Amino acid sequence: MKCAPFRVELPSTVDEVVAALVEHGEDAKILAGGQSLIPMLAMRLARFDVLIDVHHVDGLASIQLDQNTIRIGSRVRQSEIERSDVIKRHLPVLAEATALIGHFQIRNRGTIGGSLVHADPAAEYPAVALALGATFEVTGPAGTRVIPAADFFLGYWTTALTDDEVLVAIHFPIPEGKRVGMTVKEVARRHGDFALAGAVASIGLDPSGAIVETAIALFSAADQPLRLTEMEAALTGHSPDSLDIPALSAAAAAGLAPGDDLHGSADFRRHLFRHLIADVAAEAITRAQEATNV
Amino acid sequence: MSATTSPPAGATPRYIGQAVARKEDPRLLTGQGEYVDDLSLQGMLHVAFARSPHASALIRSIDASAAKELEGVRAVLTGADLNGDAHEMKSSYEVLIGSVGPVLEPLASARVKYVGDPVVMVIAESRAIAEDAIELLEIEYDPQTPVIGYETSLANETLVHPEMKTNLASVLTSEPDPALDRAFANAVHIVQETIRQHRYINVPMETRGLIASWHSGRGEMTFYSATQLPNEFRTFTTRLLAIPENKIRVIARDVGGGFGQKAFVGREEAAVLLAAKRIGRPLKWIEDRWENLVSANHAREELVHVRIAFDADYRITAVFCDHEEDIGALPASGTSLTTGQMVGMMFPGPYKIPHAGYSTKMIWTNTCGRLPYRGPWMMETVAREIMIDIAARRLGIDALELRRRNTITEADMPYTSATGMSYDRLSIDRTLEKVAAGIDFEAFRIEQGEARAAGRLIGIGLSHLVEPTAAAGGSFGIEVANIRMQPSGYVDVYVGTGNHGQGTETTMAQIVADTLGIEYEKVFVHDGDTDMVPFGGGSGASRTAVLAGAACHAAGAELRGKIVQLAAHYLEAAPEDLEINSGKISVRGTPTHFLEMTEVAFKAYNDSPSLPPGMSPGLEATARHAADGITFANATHACIVEVDPKTYRVKVLRYLVSSDCGVVINPAVVEGQIAGGVIQGIGGVLFEHFAYDENGNPLTTTFMDYLLPTAADVPTIEYAHLETPAKGPGGYKGVGEGGAIASPPAIVNAVADALGMDLPSQPLSPSLLFAMVNRAPTS
């Protein structure tokens, strides 16, 4: 369980990162917190000749609040997100999701960008990014482009990033001044394990209390984070009191084809999703209702 | 000298019974333990093994040329290269009782028999280079259909070991007993079920590993080993290398757990020893976690077809335990023959059962071999206690009441079980009542009803056991203590144990301090170095307190007698008038007239003319204690759980153990032993499952998939000790394994009680529990 030999490059700018990616192509991998990459190298499940360590790159490690957006550098540690006052005030669901990631030792090393580009379908951040409509700021040889979360995740450990692009930052829109409630829940075998099933909801209400915007995203439900567009449509435009959320959740869960493995059969995961979807939807509505005075 | 039979101490014991601070803790808790991997020797090279990716395959060819070319690689050895160096691959256990199955070979030479089977050994300047070289090996396999699943493998024409002509390694059956048959024929109720347990494994924190160093000039092999049994490892190596054991030194400094896994020399360890002798450079092999999980040997995959006969009053009149166990392809040397027998012999356990019979089958499959794991016979308690609850549910009687009616009481002592086990000085009924009161069984039933009405699923489970401790034969039946009071008055104690977490340095020092009447701080216990300690059995089989403790008592008493004689000579008093307190020897009643023990010790070595006529100089005594049969102990466990009806996660709300291990040397050590075992049971039932797919590929090869319980999954364990002294010296009984034996059925029974259904198989992972609940109504 020792890594095969590799070389480490230590660029100090995003342009140098891109140059290194261009030079080494698929033989190189960016090293951020290393919480997935290093074990894969040690178990020789992956092999790269060059690791491009981004710890010395300027501008990747800050959390910035703009008017309606929080911009989080890709190298920001998960533990910094968990503790950030800006995030706890303006986007608490992101801090809540962070607390579900692994254990604190992992979060002290792991980065938000690393988790997103690793794109494990059982991870929390990709589903949160999808539910919240985050955008991904990526830089490559042709300059910088912005990829919406809906276009970013393509499948198991696969994203829209090309081999010569680096994720620089993630932009989360914040529902400042709106009646929006968000929440995240998951079920894992033990605290800190990858979720057997997980769900994120963001629900907005109009002044009358009717649902005007709904986003529900699941993790560990498919090969990538999954939006429940049918259920979202069924909620939007209605007063919460008029909805049979358990029935809608059961219908949504019944349509899922989650993985089937030692830790959870597909049937069991559907069962968990039925409850999780109902729980996050109900809690997001409650939180939105409580957000009246924002 | 009459002194050899003197009582342990003239004064009240100061240390026995106290939770004195463990001598091991300062180094272990500050990260200064010394494990094999902490050590480096000059010129040391590193070992890695290429392992079979197939559950069953013929090895067609091995091309190591590219691997040998890699810079930093010093040797690449196959079975053809190395196995001929092995003189004999037998544990002392196998020498004693024999074996079945093929002779173990260090490296698989012609056929691989499980995924992880070691095939090629690479020796290089670093472990990383050795692993690089493994990737360059070209091993051509001819895959065969593997035998997977012991329940079907006896009917399988495919064989794990073709030369054996069968997949049945051994079968043992109790004598035919017409009275047993009549008891079943006359039963008012017969309850039968098959209780299955899944494979879960030892998982010590420190994996296996060794550094082997051959000194050709001296002809000596020194090896640093993570072992429970230093002397057995030495004896094994004598046979392996065909050199005198006097030329072999085994050193185990700190050992990070074993639970039975480090009681047998593994094939990889044998390969390292052979290669170190051949190459002449020190070799280090540290098993990584993947290797430990797939190939350090497995345990617990077994079943019992249980039949219990009851009379009209729900008293058990007969039991039959029909046991089958998966022993994998290559179980530890000597363990394929008899280990299941203990399951049958102990099956009646804590109950008054007039007639009992058993059968046990050990079955080969193409999986990792079986090895003892903490309470290797524990399926007797698992199957029996789960079955008692199933019977209670089916017969409509409370599970506590059913146990009460059948439990052996103190009035029944001494008691001989239907399988011939002789119990005495047990408190089986009292631990049951202690637990029933402590957990407040009756109040719980009320709480449970209220919880059900509120949609909560809570349940209670009991488990009841008689634990055979210090039970094993062979070298496990003896232990030694050599005690030396040095000229300074400080005491060294040399015991044949292999402390790997049991607190032996502490508990044996408590015994010796009280026996000699000196301060605990002045006693130092040594084990784990065969050049230092006399031959003893090592640590395992819940034997240390009983056997090493007895040896410490005997040697301590002899040494105390000599100290008293010497002091009497100097004090001009009669030996029988002297007492020892805190290192001072005085005439009883005149405490001002005393000698310091240190003065006596100094004179014993430095002033031989002053000694009494005929007395030898020095202060040293050695005693060997042989077990007088099995020392039985008893315990009852109670557990309360809550099952989340949405997630099917099980939370252990309370866990209470009443254990009677005789005289408690150190309550903290005893509770640590119980807690560790209980947590392994919680892990085994709720989290741990070493799984293979239908082709024999292991599915749980990292801690992301092989789930151990964490601190968050474990409740505060409560204790209610009883102390019924054993008849042996000191009155100690073993307590090492009962926690791990009795906890799984307590947890299963609690979950079954919460759900109101039989749960005859495990693990109770949320997904499997969901499937069981939604598959079948209660039978």
Side-chain angles (χ1 to χ4, degrees):
Chain A
M1 222 182 268
K2 303 286 183 196
C3 303
F6 55 78
R7 203 154 48 77
V8 177
E9 295 201 355
L10 292 168
S12 53
T13 65
V14 170
D15 287 344
E16 286 175 17
V17 175
V18 172
L21 287 169
V22 168
E23 181 186 347
H24 302 296
E26 62 185 16
D27 296 333
K29 192 77 176 171
I30 291 175
L31 172 67
Q35 296 303 290
S36 298
L37 178 60
I38 296 295
M40 290 176 83
L41 293 174
M43 289 188 274
R44 299 189 182 226
L45 299 171
R47 185 163 190 156
F48 296 99
D49 295 334
V50 179
L51 297 188
I52 303 167
D53 183 340
V54 293
H55 284 82
H56 303 278
V57 176
D58 287 338
L60 297 186
S62 64
I63 299 172
Q64 294 162 340
L65 176 65
D66 296 334
Q67 281 183 332
N68 293 313
T69 307
I70 296 177
R71 178 186 188 275
I72 304 176
S74 58
R75 220 279 287 135
V76 171
R77 307 270 183 216
Q78 292 155 5
S79 57
E80 294 173 63
I81 293 170
E82 196 177 359
R83 289 194 296 263
S84 161
D85 289 334
V86 169
I87 286 170
K88 280 194 278 192
R89 187 177 319 124
H90 298 284
L91 206 58
V93 70
L94 190 58
E96 291 171 21
T98 305
L100 301 174
I101 301 172
H103 303 276
F104 73 85
Q105 297 92 335
I106 290 170
R107 300 193 292 274
N108 281 342
R109 291 296 304 172
T111 65
I112 184 169
S115 174
L116 288 166
V117 301
H118 184 54
D120 192 304
E124 292 81 2
Y125 279 156
V128 174
L130 186 65
L132 271 51
T135 53
F136 293 70
E137 178 187 337
V138 306
T139 301
T144 295
R145 64 177 178 133
V146 172
I147 307 173
D151 299 333
F152 189 76
F153 302 103
L154 303 180
Y156 282 113
W157 305 306
T158 311
T159 71
L161 275 183
T162 57
D163 279 345
D164 52 10
E165 285 180 317
V166 56
L167 176 64
V168 172
I170 308 95
H171 299 256
F172 286 92
I174 53 175
E176 216 59 4
K178 295 188 198 165
R179 295 180 68 190
V180 175
M182 302 178 182
T183 193
V184 56
K185 291 183 189 297
E186 70 177 40
V187 177
R189 290 292 305 272
R190 302 168 305 178
H191 170 76
D193 286 338
F194 273 116
L196 293 169
V200 187
S202 172
I203 292 178
L205 305 179
D206 71 10
S208 76
I211 295 171
V212 287
E213 52 183 73
T214 311
I216 300 173
L218 307 183
F219 47 111
S220 264
D223 65 345
Q224 55 188 290
L226 200 66
R227 280 281 290 264
L228 290 181
T229 48
E230 279 183 37
M231 179 163 169
E232 291 170 5
L235 264 60
T236 306
H238 297 275
S239 161
D241 296 341
S242 68
L243 295 166
D244 184 349
I245 288 176
L248 291 167
S249 304
L256 298 173
D260 195 322
D261 63 26
L262 191 66
H263 300 302
S265 67
D267 277 345
F268 179 55
R269 288 169 194 260
R270 275 188 287 269
H271 162 85
L272 292 177
F273 276 116
R274 183 164 68 89
H275 289 294
L276 278 171
I277 295 165
D279 289 351
V280 293
E283 185 162 316
I285 290 167
T286 302
R287 287 184 174 189
Q289 289 165 338
E290 288 167 353
T292 308
N293 298 325
V294 170
Chain B
M1 275 192 291
S2 63
T4 53
T5 55
S6 68
T12 311
R14 290 180 61 197
Y15 302 107
I16 292 171
Q18 304 301 311
V20 299
R22 296 205 322 162
K23 286 179 183 282
E24 298 90 335
D25 283 344
R27 67 174 190 274
L28 296 181
L29 300 183
T30 57
Q32 296 179 87
E34 292 172 281
Y35 303 93
V36 178
D37 202 24
D38 292 318
L39 196 72
S40 279
L41 300 186
Q42 190 71 29
M44 186 174 80
L45 299 172
H46 299 264
V47 172
F49 291 96
R51 295 176 181 278
S52 170
H54 302 288
S56 179
L58 301 173
I59 301 171
R60 285 284 174 232
S61 63
I62 299 174
D63 180 355
S65 52
K68 285 177 176 169
E69 298 280 304
L70 186 70
E71 193 179 336
V73 172
R74 295 306 186 91
V76 180
L77 300 171
T78 64
D81 300 324
L82 193 67
N83 291 353
D85 290 4
H87 182 69
E88 194 177 24
M89 286 273 291
K90 275 186 186 172
S91 69
S92 298
Y93 190 60
E94 181 173 344
V95 171
L96 191 69
I97 65 154
S99 187
V100 288
V103 173
L104 291 176
E105 49 184 12
L107 298 172
S109 57
R111 179 185 270 269
V112 290
K113 294 178 175 176
Y114 69 97
V115 173
D117 204 344
V119 179
V120 179
M121 179 184 192
V122 177
I123 298 166
E125 286 170 8
S126 74
R127 171 71 183 234
I129 293 171
E131 291 189 23
D132 293 342
I134 285 172
E135 293 192 335
L136 299 173
L137 290 169
E138 289 183 26
I139 307 173
E140 194 190 334
Y141 292 101
D142 179 3
Q144 306 289 301
T145 304
V147 177
I148 302 298
Y150 70 114
E151 292 192 52
T152 54
S153 92
L154 294 184
N156 201 330
E157 285 180 16
T158 308
L159 297 172
V160 176
H161 309 294
E163 72 277 24
M164 301 308 297
K165 316 275 194 248
T166 173
N167 290 324
L168 180 61
S170 66
V171 58
L172 281 163
T173 304
S174 55
E175 294 294 317
D177 180 0
L180 175 71
D181 301 337
R182 274 198 303 277
F184 275 107
N186 296 331
V188 176
H189 311 281
I190 291 178
V191 179
Q192 53 187 9
E193 187 57 82
T194 299
I195 309 297
R196 286 181 177 79
Q197 182 165 264
H198 59 296
R199 185 177 295 227
Y200 67 98
I201 60 181
N202 308 43
V203 202
M205 203 181 293
E206 183 192 22
T207 58
R208 297 183 299 166
L210 78 164
I211 299 171
S213 179
W214 173 249
H215 190 296
S216 59
R218 291 176 181 270
E220 283 180 0
M221 176 64 78
T222 300
F223 71 100
Y224 296 86
S225 170
T227 175
Q228 302 175 218
L229 312 183
N231 276 296
E232 163 60 16
F233 273 43
R234 186 197 208 193
T235 313
F236 178 96
T237 306
T238 296
R239 289 189 283 267
L240 177 73
L241 303 179
I243 59 174
E245 57 197 326
N246 320 71
K247 293 287 186 182
I248 299 163
R249 182 180 183 189
V250 179
I251 304 168
R253 297 290 282 173
D254 292 309
V255 177
F259 316 110
Q261 190 174 84
K262 297 168 179 171
F264 291 85
V265 179
R267 292 163 60 211
E268 296 92 337
E269 292 161 294
V272 172
L273 288 162
L274 293 167
K277 182 163 182 281
R278 176 189 277 226
I279 287 173
R281 291 271 295 268
L283 298 183
K284 175 188 268 190
W285 174 61
I286 301 296
E287 181 181 58
D288 68 27
R289 187 56 67 185
W290 172 75
E291 294 181 284
N292 184 263
L293 288 171
V294 303
S295 94
N297 289 62
H298 290 174
R300 304 266 203 263
E301 186 159 12
E302 51 197 312
L303 64 76
V304 180
H305 306 291
V306 187
R307 271 193 304 150
I308 306 183
F310 293 91
D311 69 12
D313 294 327
Y314 305 114
R315 290 201 164 75
I316 300 173
T317 54
V319 293
F320 198 89
C321 164
D322 185 0
H323 173 242
E324 297 176 14
E325 180 162 11
D326 187 334
I327 60 169
L330 299 164
S333 168
T335 64
S336 54
L337 204 52
T338 60
T339 38
Q341 189 174 20
M342 197 72 158
V343 176
M345 305 275 280
M346 284 309 301
F347 190 79
Y351 303 117
K352 259 184 283 192
I353 299 173
H355 305 286
Y358 62 85
S359 168
T360 175
K361 295 191 185 80
M362 313 291 273
I363 299 162
W364 284 305
T365 62
N366 284 115
T367 60
C368 182
R370 179 195 185 277
L371 193 83
Y373 172 25
R374 202 172 195 174
W377 62 91
M378 51 89 81
M379 195 59 190
E380 46 83 27
T381 289
V382 172
R384 181 190 63 242
E385 293 301 311
I386 291 173
M387 199 60 192
I388 291 287
D389 270 42
I390 287 176
R393 201 172 295 115
R394 293 184 189 171
L395 299 175
I397 179 172
D398 187 83
L400 172 60
E401 176 56 27
L402 187 55
R403 285 184 174 82
R404 276 181 173 144
R405 275 191 207 186
N406 288 287
T407 289
I408 301 164
T409 68
E410 279 191 301
D412 298 318
M413 295 291 145
Y415 178 88
T416 301
S417 77
T419 52
M421 303 279 107
S422 299
Y423 303 159
D424 198 5
R425 303 176 193 228
L426 298 182
S427 57
I428 307 172
D429 49 338
R430 289 174 58 216
T431 53
L432 179 65
E433 292 309 325
K434 195 121 181 155
V435 153
I439 204 100
D440 203 344
F441 207 88
E442 281 76 20
F444 175 79
R445 287 293 180 214
I446 297 167
E447 183 189 343
Q448 184 179 36
E450 292 166 359
R452 283 223 176 104
R456 288 176 61 214
L457 300 172
I458 60 175
I460 194 165
L462 293 170
S463 175
H464 205 24
L465 99 154
V466 170
E467 180 182 0
T469 77
S475 67
F476 260 21
I478 61 115
E479 196 46 83
V480 66
N482 168 263
I483 305 181
R484 300 175 197 165
M485 180 171 281
Q486 303 292 4
S488 61
Y490 283 76
V491 170
D492 288 306
V493 181
Y494 301 90
V495 281
T497 55
N499 185 17
H500 54 290
Q502 291 79 4
T504 311
E505 287 175 50
T506 298
T507 51
M508 295 303 112
Q510 289 176 263
I511 291 173
V512 171
D514 274 349
T515 306
L516 296 179
I518 63 169
E519 293 86 348
Y520 168 71
E521 293 74 18
K522 288 191 167 177
V523 182
F524 298 88
V525 176
H526 309 276
D527 70 358
D529 182 341
T530 58
D531 266 14
M532 201 194 292
V533 303
F535 184 93
S539 287
S542 301
R543 64 190 299 279
T544 298
V546 180
L547 302 182
C552 283
H553 271 284
E558 183 183 332
L559 183 56
R560 179 191 169 92
K562 184 169 182 182
I563 291 165
V564 167
Q565 285 220 330
L566 196 48
H569 174 67
Y570 294 130
L571 289 167
E572 297 181 341
E576 54 272 24
D577 293 338
L578 298 189
E579 62 181 12
I580 307 180
N581 276 311
S582 302
K584 289 183 171 54
I585 311 161
S586 59
V587 177
R588 199 172 284 114
T590 55
T592 51
H593 187 47
F594 68 89
L595 263 178
E596 291 283 357
M597 190 88 86
T598 51
E599 293 175 63
V600 176
F602 184 84
K603 283 173 179 290
Y605 290 95
N606 292 284
D607 191 8
S608 58
S610 77
L611 301 180
M615 181 181 279
S616 62
L619 291 174
E620 179 171 352
T622 300
R624 276 205 161 69
H625 182 81
D628 179 17
I630 296 171
T631 301
F632 287 99
N634 62 279
T636 308
H637 292 214
C639 171
I640 293 176
V641 302
E642 177 159 10
V643 182
D644 186 320
K646 286 185 184 173
T647 66
Y648 288 85
R649 280 176 53 143
V650 175
K651 187 172 172 60
V652 183
L653 301 177
R654 274 188 77 187
Y655 203 102
L656 172 65
V657 179
S658 179
S659 172
D660 188 340
C661 62
V663 172
V664 170
I665 302 170
N666 185 322
V669 169
V670 165
E671 288 168 14
Q673 286 284 355
I674 296 169
V678 168
I679 292 165
Q680 285 174 317
I682 290 172
V685 174
L686 300 179
F687 298 103
E688 300 178 46
H689 179 196
F690 196 94
Y692 286 95
D693 71 11
E694 65 278 11
N695 297 314
N697 295 305
L699 300 175
T700 49
T701 61
T702 75
F703 283 162
M704 284 180 67
D705 288 315
Y706 189 85
L707 306 182
L708 294 166
T710 71
D713 304 308
V714 174
T716 299
I717 296 165
E718 303 161 66
Y719 306 94
H721 299 299
L722 285 174
E723 294 192 54
T724 308
K727 71 171 190 285
Y732 315 125
K733 302 169 184 174
V735 71
E737 294 163 283
I741 296 169
S743 51
I747 298 157
V748 170
N749 287 343
V751 176
D753 185 55
L755 297 172
M757 63 185 286
D758 295 346
L759 293 174
S761 66
Q762 306 170 46
L764 304 183
S765 68
S767 187
L768 295 178
L769 213 44
F770 166 81
M772 287 189 265
V773 168
N774 291 286
R775 184 195 307 136
T778 295
S779 45

